[in-house]
Amino acid sequence: MPAPTLTAAALDQAAARIAPTLTEPERDAWAAPAALSFDERLALAALAVDARIDTATLDLADVIRGPVDTPAPVLQPYRTPIAALLHRAHTRLLGDGWCTGRLRDEQGARCLIGTIRAEAGSRSEADDACTFLLDIVRNEFDPTAETIASWNDRQRDGHMPARILGHAASRADARGI
């Protein structure tokens, strides 16, 4: 036997007879879902995305990293060119290390002349600083020194070369050179 066909009017009559007997929550469950508007669906989607986002505060110390070995800026206590050059050479010698027998070794350490040349703006400025340094060495430390290179090579460690650079910078500033 074929199934009876229901018309819209017959469905409305059946709903009218059943509806008064249902409680309010049951009626809501049987009611046809209302279609959501575009804005409502968009708001629900935004809420779903927000629920997935981690809102913990970000520690920037873990993210932003600067150079590991940033040297402190060196204050320039001298205004005269030779004094300033000898001071920069002194600072470089302390930082890079000291060597003998060559201008610069494989580890980056330098002799007195190599340090001065590395800091000088020109070859003539380096030559003037070396000439002044040799005068200081001869007059105040070692009258038998023939050259800066020979005096440098006779030293047993970098203490005296570093000391002489600092002393020469102070003397050059006092003389205004």
Side-chain angles (χ1 to χ4, degrees):
M1 174 163 170
T5 58
L6 297 173
T7 62
L11 286 174
D12 287 340
Q13 288 173 357
R17 277 182 279 140
I18 297 173
T21 62
L22 296 174
T23 63
E24 181 123 2
E26 292 171 333
R27 245 185 273 138
D28 290 342
W30 283 87
L36 297 176
S37 70
F38 177 75
D39 291 335
E40 292 168 331
R41 288 184 304 192
L42 190 60
L44 287 174
L47 288 173
V49 170
D50 287 346
R52 292 184 191 144
I53 294 177
D54 182 17
T55 58
T57 58
L58 182 64
D59 184 14
L60 293 180
D62 291 338
V63 177
I64 300 173
R65 301 209 187 261
V68 176
D69 294 329
T70 304
V74 177
L75 298 176
Q76 185 56 266
Y78 304 113
R79 293 185 202 174
T80 58
I82 298 298
L85 170 60
L86 290 170
H87 175 72
R88 290 192 312 269
H90 175 254
T91 303
R92 181 180 284 257
L93 187 71
L94 293 175
D96 291 352
W98 172 80
C99 72
T100 62
R102 57 179 72 174
L103 293 175
R104 183 176 182 200
D105 69 5
E106 296 81 22
Q107 289 78 30
R110 297 174 188 269
C111 73
L112 284 172
I113 295 172
T115 305
I116 291 171
R117 284 184 183 172
E119 290 295 328
S122 67
R123 181 67 182 244
S124 66
E125 186 181 28
D127 291 343
D128 291 343
C130 287
T131 301
F132 180 77
L133 183 63
L134 182 59
D135 288 343
I136 294 295
V137 168
R138 283 179 178 162
N139 293 335
E140 298 182 25
F141 292 96
D142 184 4
T144 63
E146 295 176 15
T147 64
I148 292 295
S150 65
W151 183 83
N152 181 78
D153 290 348
R154 286 197 318 253
Q155 303 307 307
R156 56 187 159 100
D157 61 26
H159 175 75
M160 195 62 174
R163 182 175 169 215
I164 195 78
L165 279 174
H167 180 73
S170 172
R171 291 292 185 168
D173 185 57
R175 293 184 189 175
I177 55 172

